[in-house]
Amino acid sequence: MPITIADVAARAKVSKTTVSRVLNGKGELDETTAARVRAVIEELGYVPSARAVNLARGRTRVVGMLVPSLTWPWMGEVLQGAVDVLEAENYGLLLFTCNRGDDSMRQFAAQVAAKSFDGLLVIEPEGTLDYIANLHARGLPMVLIDDRDQISGGSIPTVGTTNHTGAADAAHHLLGIGRHKPLVITGPSRFGCTQQRTDGFLSVYADAGIPLSADRVMLGDFKVGCGVDNIRQAIETGIEFDAVFCHNDLSAFGAMQAIQESGRSVPGDVAVVGFDDIPMAAHAKPALTTVHQPLREMGEAAARTLLAHFEGAPLPNRPTIIPATFTVRDSTAA
């Protein structure tokens, strides 16, 4: 049987509280007593539970992470970035998803109440921002990955990317290859990134003397189906287009599918650009030109920010922005 703190206390003829104080260096102890306890610990080969020691010190050395679902195609990159930083500093990760809706959030709330982790990384699940902001206001250290906190006025520290500039780069590229009749398939309007990507793209075309009419900006939901449906609708209504800028890669895959099904070619008839640069983008047919989000770097930066706070650094009061880059592939090749 494993040696317990009770065994040490009995052999040293002290209380378990005294043994705990010796282990954690807390409280004033008679040096003779402390030496006797340390000798018994060595004699018995007692190894204290890391979790018990950390809890006694008021720390778990565990970081929580709340995400909508692990099925999001870029989630793995963000997670890996966070885990790389946490493991290097001997922290664990406690991962929560919202796959079961309210049941998932009740389970998460129970872990918050039990103080099972020292701080929280968040990719905000749908409809939870008010609850998350309340946890932050009550003192739970956290960092939001992506830009959802813009909706709550920027109260939570955030790590994001250059959505506006990335979309502007896409527009400059399409103009550079002579595409003057683009469609835009957006993300959900409630997301800050959707507005930034729309503004960045439209401003470049407007500055070039080619303002885009409202019917060329089509609402999407970041899924393959919205790319398919919006392209079919544009063809049915007779909108002429020679390019499509999609706010994520999945909708770009759908757009390419619908374009090719209509008998048109990509990129010959229609050039297509996505956003994210998920691993599948390089293997699409044709390979997808896209704005590369620094997903792993965003996970790393968020984790570093939280760990620095544990060591006494204040949480930043402005977003941490990691620039996006532009990756040209076959879907826009001349």
Side-chain angles (χ1 to χ4, degrees), residues 12-36:
K13 296 183 173 55
V14 297
S15 68
K16 291 190 290 184
T17 299
T18 298
V19 176
S20 179
R21 286 177 176 172
V22 172
L23 289 169
N24 295 294
K26 285 188 173 182
E28 294 184 5
L29 290 171
D30 175 73
E31 183 53 37
T32 301
T33 300
R36 185 169 74 251

Side-chain angles (χ1 to χ4, degrees), residues 7 19 29 34 41 74 96 118 146 155 167 171 214 220 291 305 312 316 321-322 326:
D7 297 325
V19 176
L29 290 171
I41 289 172
W74 51 260
F96 302 91
D118 298 328
D146 209 354
S155 62
V291 180
T305 299
I321 302 299
I322 304 174
F326 195 69

Side-chain angles (χ1 to χ4, degrees), residues 108-187:
F108 170 71
Q111 295 298 316
V112 172
K115 298 184 178 179
S116 299
F117 44 85
D118 298 328
L120 186 65
L121 303 175
V122 185
I123 298 173
E124 185 250 323
E126 188 78 17
T128 64
L129 189 57
D130 288 345
Y131 171 67
I132 292 166
N134 181 258
L135 291 179
H136 177 64
R138 285 161 45 194
L140 178 63
M142 67 174 64
V143 179
L144 193 69
I145 302 170
D146 209 354
D147 62 354
R148 312 295 176 80
D149 192 40
Q150 292 180 16
I151 302 170
S152 69
S155 62
I156 304 174
T158 305
V159 174
T161 191
T162 49
N163 288 294
H164 188 283
T165 301
D169 289 343
H172 284 300
H173 175 69
L174 291 174
L175 281 170
I177 60 172
R179 306 301 172 120
H180 294 171
K181 299 176 182 178
L183 297 178
V184 179
I185 299 177
T186 76

Side-chain angles (χ1 to χ4, degrees), residues 24-331:
N24 295 294
K26 285 188 173 182
E28 294 184 5
L29 290 171
D30 175 73
E31 183 53 37
T32 301
T33 300
R36 185 169 74 251
V37 171
R38 285 193 288 268
V40 170
I41 289 172
E42 184 175 353
E43 174 191 347
L44 297 180
Y46 172 63
V47 179
S49 160
R51 176 172 172 79
V53 172
N54 286 329
L55 285 173
R57 293 172 177 169
R59 297 274 284 276
T60 66
R61 295 195 73 84
V62 173
V63 167
M65 188 164 186
L66 178 64
V67 304
S69 170
L70 296 181
T71 61
W72 285 22
W74 51 260
M75 189 66 69
E77 287 292 301
V78 177
L79 279 172
Q80 191 61 59
V83 167
D84 287 346
V85 170
L86 295 174
E87 287 186 347
E89 298 298 327
N90 296 314
Y91 273 77
L93 179 70
L94 189 56
L95 181 64
F96 302 91
T97 72
C98 287
N99 291 326
R100 296 179 295 111
D102 290 344
D103 286 343
S104 295
M105 290 307 297
R106 279 191 288 271
Q107 182 178 1
F108 170 71
Q111 295 298 316
V112 172
K115 298 184 178 179
S116 299
F117 44 85
D118 298 328
L120 186 65
L121 303 175
V122 185
I123 298 173
E124 185 250 323
E126 188 78 17
T128 64
L129 189 57
D130 288 345
Y131 171 67
I132 292 166
N134 181 258
L135 291 179
H136 177 64
R138 285 161 45 194
L140 178 63
M142 67 174 64
V143 179
L144 193 69
I145 302 170
D146 209 354
D147 62 354
R148 312 295 176 80
D149 192 40
Q150 292 180 16
I151 302 170
S152 69
S155 62
I156 304 174
T158 305
V159 174
T161 191
T162 49
N163 288 294
H164 188 283
T165 301
D169 289 343
H172 284 300
H173 175 69
L174 291 174
L175 281 170
I177 60 172
R179 306 301 172 120
H180 294 171
K181 299 176 182 178
L183 297 178
V184 179
I185 299 177
T186 76
S189 58
R190 62 186 176 278
F191 292 166
C193 63
T194 295
Q195 190 60 55
Q196 291 174 354
R197 293 172 192 178
T198 301
D199 290 347
F201 190 86
L202 296 186
S203 64
V204 170
Y205 270 85
D207 289 345
I210 311 173
L212 301 184
S213 57
D215 61 346
R216 291 188 172 275
V217 181
M218 312 180 83
L219 183 63
D221 60 7
F222 288 150
K223 297 177 182 178
V224 172
C226 78
V228 173
D229 293 343
N230 277 309
I231 292 301
R232 288 176 178 171
Q233 178 183 336
I235 292 171
E236 289 172 3
T237 56
I239 300 176
E240 294 184 14
F241 60 96
D242 58 9
V244 184
F245 170 54
C246 298
H247 280 198
N248 77 331
D249 291 345
L250 289 185
S251 55
F253 297 156
M256 288 199 295
Q257 175 188 327
I259 291 164
Q260 291 165 336
E261 287 176 351
S262 74
R264 306 181 189 193
S265 67
V266 177
D269 296 315
V270 183
V272 178
V273 179
F275 204 113
D276 285 340
D277 199 17
I278 62 176
M280 289 182 288
H283 303 289
K285 299 297 182 182
L288 182 65
T289 293
T290 186
V291 180
H292 174 82
Q293 282 210 80
L295 299 168
R296 186 170 298 211
E297 294 89 341
M298 289 162 67
E300 291 172 350
R304 285 196 194 98
T305 299
L306 205 52
L307 295 188
H309 177 67
F310 297 158
E311 297 304 317
L315 288 170
N317 57 11
R318 62 180 61 187
T320 299
I321 302 299
I322 304 174
T325 54
F326 195 69
T327 302
V328 178
R329 298 195 181 100
D330 293 343
S331 68

